[in-house]
Amino acid sequence: MYDIIVIGAGPCGCIAARTLSKNGLKVLLLEKCKLPRYKSCSGILIEKSMRFIEQQFGCSVPHSVTCTPVYNRGMIFTDDVGREYRFASRGLNIWRDKFDYWLLSLAKKVGTEVKDESRVTSIRGTGEVIEVTVNGNIEKARYVIDCAGAVGIGKKAQRNVITYQTYNQGTIDLDPHYFYAYLQPELSGYDAWFNVKDDLLVFGVASTNSKDITKYYGNFIAYMKEKHGLSISEESRTDKWLIRNIEPPFEIDYGENGFLKAGESAGFLNPMGEGISCGMESGYYAALAIISDFNNRQSVTENYKRNISELKNYMQRQWQLVGRMSKKFSFMYQ
């Protein structure tokens, strides 16, 4: 019997588990993959995330989880008609598997019990106890926090965004210290992006329709060759994954009756698939809500909603900014 079961060992789940364990609660953290898990992600820590880590841990992100160029200088957006918008800010270039495992180690240090290769198939509430079916066995807790990402636990089928990303050896005439996002409709059904990690050129495209991915990727590579002198000598790796499709009115599924949701599972995601910052913050606030009034589930849910309202507003402002740059996303502020 645990006080809390946290599902998903990404930044959201690790922060939630660490915060709860540090406050003396008995926590089980479940991860469906084998740890350390490989996570496909653009892997940029924005300044907001760096400040959060410094505030929570009293230290900076260790150099061992970063890749070159270590320091990111911001984002450059290209809108529907090719105009550039430069947003300068400090950031860190990281490998997600190393970063997530570092966060996991911090949770384990304060007493979090971790079980990997543990797939959750159902969650059922029975009074004050919640039963979680894991690999056919039952684990019990007073609270559960779903930090399992875009798909989440026990959700109905929903419209997600499919992403496709490649790592390549080659050359290009762009500053590797920036993350580049392209909003032209011919390049993607959602967005396309480019950044550099350990001298590998990373290209990605996203769409809500998987059948269009190959077409969009081909268009994007041709565009980069024409505009920025791209030359690829070898493709090293390809990735595919899902992200949450965000739409107005930016509804958040907070959960209820002892079952809370955080990160993408709840509906938090910033533009261009940046989920680390809102994942960490929502996981933290879910944990704080439980700590604040452990024996009153209704109060916990209300506290969570209240504490996370500014994070929701921040996410909405970010999407509205993109909507003003691109007709593709103009519905975000209508």
Side-chain angles (χ1 to χ4, degrees):
M1 181 71 186
Y2 296 90
D3 293 317
I4 303 98
I5 293 175
V6 179
I7 305 170
C12 181
C14 289
I15 292 291
R18 177 187 181 273
T19 304
L20 293 161
S21 296
K22 193 176 179 182
N23 282 271
L25 295 169
K26 187 177 181 182
V27 182
L28 173 63
L29 177 58
L30 299 172
E31 169 55 46
K32 67 180 179 180
C33 300
K34 183 174 178 58
L35 294 170
R37 65 175 194 170
Y38 172 73
K39 172 65 177 179
S40 184
C41 176
S42 55
I44 299 294
L45 285 187
I46 62 174
E47 186 169 9
K48 198 171 191 284
S49 297
M50 295 167 65
R51 287 199 307 266
F52 179 84
I53 290 169
E54 290 162 0
Q55 291 167 0
Q56 293 303 311
F57 306 136
C59 66
S60 299
V61 176
H63 191 274
S64 58
V65 310
T66 64
C67 50
T68 57
V70 174
Y71 298 104
N72 180 261
R73 295 173 183 166
M75 294 186 66
I76 298 176
F77 285 84
T78 301
D79 71 6
D80 304 59
V81 295
R83 291 173 299 199
E84 286 190 356
Y85 298 82
R86 185 181 297 258
F87 299 91
S89 65
R90 69 173 184 141
L92 277 181
N93 198 4
I94 61 164
W95 288 116
R96 273 293 304 276
D97 56 344
K98 295 180 180 179
F99 175 71
D100 290 8
Y101 203 58
W102 172 65
L103 292 178
L104 180 69
S105 71
L106 298 178
K108 292 172 71 173
K109 281 181 181 178
V110 292
T112 297
E113 182 180 341
V114 179
K115 292 183 179 180
D116 63 356
E117 298 182 282
S118 298
R119 184 175 293 275
V120 174
T121 53
S122 69
I123 298 173
R124 186 168 65 94
T126 56
E128 292 297 308
V129 177
I130 299 176
E131 295 184 349
V132 180
T133 304
V134 188
N135 296 343
N137 300 313
I138 301 294
E139 301 284 3
K140 299 179 180 180
R142 292 285 302 280
Y143 288 89
V144 171
I145 307 178
D146 177 3
C147 305
V151 177
I153 303 298
K155 284 188 176 178
K156 296 179 181 178
Q158 62 181 13
R159 187 167 172 257
N160 287 315
V161 177
I162 301 99
T163 66
Y164 177 77
Q165 181 172 266
T166 67
Y167 295 78
N168 307 271
Q169 296 178 2
T171 59
I172 194 169
D173 297 330
L174 286 172
D175 186 340
H177 293 90
Y178 286 88
F179 183 89
Y180 299 82
Y182 300 87
L183 303 177
Q184 296 97 313
E186 67 272 17
L187 302 184
S188 76
Y190 198 74
D191 72 307
W193 62 91
F194 165 73
N195 66 325
V196 177
K197 306 184 83 65
D198 283 344
D199 297 323
L200 293 173
L201 309 182
V202 184
F203 300 96
V205 296
S207 176
T208 54
N209 190 340
S210 60
K211 296 179 180 179
D212 294 332
I213 290 292
T214 300
K215 175 192 69 176
Y216 283 135
Y217 182 76
N219 291 348
F220 184 42
I221 294 300
Y223 172 87
M224 298 300 274
K225 287 180 178 179
E226 178 184 353
K227 296 292 184 180
H228 302 295
L230 168 64
S231 175
I232 295 176
S233 58
E234 182 183 347
E235 185 180 284
S236 302
R237 188 171 76 233
T238 62
D239 292 334
K240 290 183 179 180
W241 74 99
L242 296 176
I243 59 175
R244 186 72 176 262
N245 188 36
I246 305 298
E247 297 178 333
F250 305 97
E251 293 181 351
I252 300 298
D253 183 358
Y254 302 94
E256 59 183 356
N257 197 29
F259 177 42
L260 302 182
K261 299 183 181 183
E264 281 188 74
S265 183
F268 286 106
L269 187 70
N270 293 326
M272 310 307 113
E274 196 286 305
I276 298 176
S277 64
C278 47
M280 290 194 298
E281 290 184 51
S282 60
Y284 174 69
Y285 284 122
L288 284 190
I290 292 172
I291 293 165
S292 68
D293 200 352
F294 185 84
N295 292 314
N296 188 331
R297 286 179 171 179
Q298 183 177 349
S299 176
V300 165
T301 304
E302 291 172 353
N303 288 341
Y304 181 42
K305 289 181 180 180
R306 181 172 57 253
N307 293 339
I308 214 164
S309 60
E310 176 51 35
L311 180 61
K312 179 186 176 182
N313 292 337
Y314 170 83
M315 178 184 75
Q316 183 171 339
R317 291 194 301 269
Q318 293 294 301
W319 279 109
Q320 289 173 342
L321 175 63
V322 173
R324 288 191 290 270
M325 288 190 290
S326 168
K327 290 181 180 179
K328 186 191 301 182
F329 292 102
S330 61
F331 65 91
M332 289 293 189
Y333 67 93
Q334 290 177 348

